[in-house]
C-alpha cells in the first residue's frame, strides 16, 4: 500500500513533548487520550503520540541525559520503560496502551530516533532476521548532535533493512498508527538522511500496517520536496517551534517557500501548536511550567496560518487543563472544514506588515486570511479580483462568526497587532 493512500487530509492529534518533554508517563497519555475522545474526536482530532525517550527509565524533563541505560529487547529494539509505562511489563510493549487508545476510537503514535541504540552496537546484540549484529550495521560517524542514544544505520550494510523491518514488525504488533522519526529530515552535522528514510518507508510497506510517517526536525530543504513527498506523510519545515513571536513571524517565510508542495498523503509540517498549559516537565523553548506566551491574537494568527497552509495540527499542551478559549481554537468547524478540504493555498500579497493568503474551497468558495504582523492596529485589504472573484459576494469571518456583505470590490478589516482574520467568501 502506498503511503499516499492514507493521511489524505493533514493529520491532527496531540503530542506529549510541549508539556512533558522526554518524561511523559502512561497515566498522562491515557488522560489526554480520554480528553481527546470526549472533546476533540468529533472534530477530526485522532492521533495520540508518545514523544521521545519512552525507553529511558530515568527521564525527568526535556533535558536529555547522555549515555544512560535504555530498555531494549534481545533484538536491539528499544522497549517502553516499565516504571513509566506499567502496562508494558512482561514484554508487552505498547500493545496494552495502544489497545486502550484504540478503544476510545483514536489512533496511537510513537516517537523514534533514527538509527540503532549505541548500547546495542557496543554489545553487538542480534538483529532479528539477519546474521548481522547491531555493531555490523551501526554507522558510528553518523550521530545526532543533541541526543546520545543512537548511531545511524549504514544503509549499505547487510542487515540494515532487516533491522528496520524488525522495528516496524514490532510496531505493527503493538498497533502503532503513527511514527515520528527524529534526527532525519534535517541535521546540523549532515544532510537529510535519505538512505535511512528509504529504509524506513520500505519497512512500513513490509510490515503491512498503515502508519503515518512524520519526519523531524526541520527545516527540511525545499529542494528535497519531491523526495520527501514520495517517502513520508509529513515533514518538518522548521526547527522546534515554540511560543515566541519571532518564530511565528518566521513561519510566514517558510510557508511561502513551501506553498504548493502539499498534496493528499504528504504534508509540509509547521510543527506543533504550543498552546494551553505547556512546559510542565519540558524546559525546551526557553520556559518552565506556564500557559502559552502567545497572546490571544497571536494564537489566532498561528491557527489561521497553519490551517490555510494545511499543516498537520498537533496540539502540545496538557489537554485536560484547556480553558474554553483554547478549546474554541481547536473546535471551530468552519476553520477545520477549510483545513480539511481547501486547496491551492498561496500568498496573495505581503506589503510590509500586511499579509494576505488565499485558498479555494468546495463549491466555488474562496478563503482570505488577512494578517497584521506589525506593532500597531492597521487596515488590511484584498480586492475580489486578487481573490479570483468577479461579482459581489457575502463573507463570513470564521473566528467570530460575523457575516459581512455584500462585498462589492474590496474586503478590508482593521486588525490588531499580531492578529488575523479569516474570511470565507461565497
Amino acid at each position: 500500500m502506498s503511503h499516499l493512500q492514507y493521511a489524505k487530509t493533514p493529520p491532527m492529534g496531540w503530542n506529549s513533548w510541549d508539556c512533558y518533554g522526554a518524561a511523559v508517563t502512561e497515566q498522562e497519555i491515557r488522560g489526554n487520550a480520554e480528553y481527546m475522545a470526549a472533546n476533540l474526536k468529533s472534530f477530526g482530532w485522532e492521533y495520540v503520540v508518545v514523544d521521545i525517550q519512552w525507553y529511558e527509565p530515568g527521564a525527568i524533563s526535556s533535558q536529555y541525559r547522555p549515555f544512560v541505560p535504555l530498555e531494549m529487547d534481545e533484538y536491539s529494539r528499544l522497549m517502553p520503560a516499565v516504571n513509566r509505562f506499567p502496562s508494558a511489563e512482561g514484554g508487552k510493549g505498547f500493545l496494552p496502551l495502544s489497545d486502550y487508545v484504540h478503544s476510545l476510537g483514536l489512533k496511537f503514535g510513537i516517537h523514534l530516533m533514527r538509527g540503532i541504540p549505541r548500547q546495542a552496537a557496543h554489545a553487538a546484540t542480534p538483529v532479528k532476521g539477519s546474521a548481522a549484529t547491531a555493531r555490523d550495521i551501526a554507522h558510528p560517524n553518523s550521530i545526532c548532535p543533541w541526543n546520545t542514544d543512537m548511531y545511524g544505520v549504514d544503509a549499505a550494510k547487510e542487515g540494515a533493512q532487516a533491522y528496520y523491518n524488525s522495528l516496524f514488525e514490532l510496531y505493527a504488533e503493538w498497533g502503532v498508527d503513527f511514527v515520528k522519526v527524529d534526527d532525519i529530515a534535517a541535521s546540523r552535522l549532515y544532510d537529510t538522511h535519505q538512505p535511512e528514510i528509504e529504509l524506513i518507508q520500505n519497512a512500513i510497506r513490509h510490515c503491512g500496517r498503515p502508519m503515518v510517517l512524520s519526519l523531524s526536525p526541520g527545516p527540511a530543504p525545499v529542494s528535497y520536496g519531491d523526495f520527501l513527498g514520495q517517502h513520508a506523510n509529513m515533514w518538518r519545515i522548521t526547527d522546534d517551534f515554540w511560543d515566541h513571536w519571532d518564530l511565528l513571524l518566521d513561519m510566514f517565510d517558510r510557508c511561502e517557500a513551501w506553498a504548493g508542495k502539499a498534496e493528499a498523503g504528504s504534508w509540509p509540517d509547521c510543527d506543533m501548536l504550543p498552546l494551553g498549559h505547556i512546559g510542565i516537565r519540558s524546559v525546551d523553548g526557553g520556559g518552565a511550567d506556564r500557559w502559552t506566551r502567545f497572546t490571544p491574537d497571536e494564537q489566532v494568527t498561528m491557527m489561521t496560518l497553519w490551517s490555510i497552509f494545511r499543516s498537520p495540527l498537533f496540539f502540545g499542551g496538557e489537554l485536560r487543563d484547556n480553558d474554553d478559549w483554547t478549546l474554541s481554537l481547536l473546535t471551530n468547524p468552519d476553520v477545520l472544514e477549510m483545513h480539511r478540504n481547501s486547496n491551492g493555498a498561496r500568498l496573495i500579497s505581503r506589503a510590509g506588515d500586511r499579509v494576505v493568503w488565499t485558498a479555494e474551497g468546495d463549491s466555488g468558495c474562496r478563503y482570505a486570511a488577512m494578517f497584521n504582523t506589525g506593532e500597531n492596529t492597521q487596515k488590511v485589504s484584498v480586492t475580489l479580483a486578487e481573490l479570483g472573484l468577479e461579482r459581489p459576494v457575502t463573507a463570513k469571518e470564521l473566528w467570530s462568526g460575523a457575516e459581512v456583505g455584500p462585498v462589492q470590490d474590496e474586503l478590508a478589516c482593521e486588525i490588531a497587532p499580531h492578529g488575523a482574520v479569516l474570511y470565507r467568501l461565497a
Side-chain angles (χ1 to χ4, degrees):
M1 182 188 231
S2 165
H3 75 285
L4 297 175
Q5 295 302 110
Y6 37 101
K8 289 189 174 181
T9 59
M12 298 166 59
W14 175 83
N15 176 296
S16 59
W17 175 255
D18 283 2
C19 48
Y20 294 114
V24 72
T25 66
E26 178 168 354
Q27 184 178 15
E28 289 155 350
I29 297 293
R30 288 175 179 253
N32 278 275
E34 289 158 6
Y35 179 98
M36 182 184 289
N39 299 282
L40 296 174
K41 181 173 72 170
S42 62
F43 293 91
W45 300 82
E46 60 179 347
Y47 292 99
V48 176
V49 181
V50 182
D51 210 85
I52 195 168
Q53 305 297 121
W54 42 264
Y55 40 80
E56 186 199 335
I60 54 174
S61 77
S62 57
Q63 297 293 299
Y64 303 117
R65 303 183 322 129
F67 306 110
V68 293
L70 310 174
E71 295 208 11
M72 194 176 76
D73 75 358
E74 69 271 29
Y75 293 117
S76 312
R77 302 178 296 189
L78 295 169
M79 300 292 285
V82 173
N83 64 318
R84 292 169 49 201
F85 299 93
S87 71
E89 192 165 12
K92 292 191 285 290
F94 273 131
L95 179 58
L97 181 55
S98 172
D99 282 347
Y100 183 70
V101 170
H102 291 149
S103 77
L104 299 172
L106 301 172
K107 295 180 179 177
F108 180 71
I110 60 173
H111 177 287
L112 174 69
M113 288 295 291
R114 171 186 72 87
I116 193 160
R118 291 191 191 194
Q119 73 183 45
H122 296 163
T125 51
V127 170
K128 189 175 184 181
S130 173
T133 69
R135 184 177 298 170
D136 295 328
I137 67 170
H139 195 325
N141 288 331
S142 179
I143 60 171
C144 174
W146 42 266
N147 181 289
T148 61
D149 293 345
M150 315 293 270
Y151 290 128
V153 166
D154 186 341
K157 292 290 182 67
E158 179 68 32
Q161 187 65 66
Y163 167 71
Y164 273 115
N165 286 356
S166 75
L167 285 187
F168 282 86
E169 287 166 6
L170 181 65
Y171 303 157
E173 292 169 10
W174 289 349
V176 171
D177 306 294
F178 181 106
V179 179
K180 172 185 173 182
V181 184
D182 214 334
D183 185 41
I184 198 163
S187 172
R188 297 173 199 166
L189 297 178
Y190 317 99
D191 200 354
T192 299
H193 292 281
Q194 295 186 51
E196 283 190 82
I197 293 172
E198 292 176 331
L199 292 177
I200 289 165
Q201 182 53 240
N202 291 339
I204 292 175
R205 283 197 292 268
H206 172 82
C207 82
R209 181 180 179 85
M211 293 183 200
V212 169
L213 176 58
S214 166
L215 303 180
S216 288
V222 179
S223 59
Y224 293 164
D226 290 344
F227 173 87
L228 295 166
Q230 291 163 10
H231 290 87
N233 300 106
M234 46 190 278
W235 57 90
R236 286 261 296 276
I237 64 172
T238 177
D239 203 342
D240 283 6
F241 180 82
W242 283 102
D243 46 337
H244 299 287
W245 171 248
D246 60 329
L247 297 180
L248 180 49
L249 187 59
D250 178 60
M251 289 307 296
F252 284 90
D253 293 334
R254 297 183 185 277
C255 289
E256 182 181 348
W258 280 96
K261 300 289 187 183
E263 61 176 332
S266 56
W267 308 100
D269 177 17
C270 294
D271 199 17
M272 287 160 51
L273 302 164
L275 294 172
H277 185 190
I278 58 177
I280 297 168
R281 288 198 296 280
S282 181
V283 297
D284 208 11
D289 193 339
R290 66 190 183 279
W291 279 74
T292 183
R293 288 175 291 220
F294 283 140
T295 67
D297 284 317
E298 290 166 350
Q299 294 174 53
V300 169
T301 288
M302 178 176 63
M303 288 299 299
T304 301
L305 182 61
W306 268 232
S307 296
I308 198 165
F309 180 73
R310 302 187 76 198
S311 170
L313 299 178
F314 278 79
F315 187 84
E318 168 51 76
L319 285 170
R320 295 168 292 182
D321 293 340
N322 278 356
D323 56 10
D324 290 344
W325 162 256
T326 305
L327 182 59
S328 75
L329 293 172
L330 308 180
T331 56
N332 183 304
D334 291 321
V335 175
L336 292 173
E337 162 70 20
M338 177 191 70
H339 177 253
R340 191 173 295 113
N341 294 320
S342 64
N343 62 82
R346 62 194 180 278
L347 177 73
I348 284 186
S349 62
R350 189 169 183 179
D353 301 328
R354 299 184 299 276
V355 184
V356 180
W357 276 69
T358 190
E360 284 86 49
D362 292 342
S363 64
C365 76
R366 291 285 192 283
Y367 295 99
M370 303 160 68
F371 304 91
N372 172 14
T373 63
E375 303 304 320
N376 299 291
T377 298
Q378 60 181 330
K379 185 174 87 168
V380 182
S381 62
V382 62
T383 66
L384 295 189
E386 287 176 304
L387 294 170
L389 298 169
E390 297 175 353
R391 58 190 183 282
V393 296
T394 57
K396 178 182 180 181
E397 204 289 306
L398 301 186
W399 291 113
S400 66
E403 302 276 356
V404 182
V407 180
Q408 300 291 341
D409 300 304
E410 181 183 77
L411 184 63
C413 186
E414 292 283 328
I415 303 177
H418 298 189
V421 292
L422 177 60
Y423 288 100
R424 183 178 62 219
L425 301 99

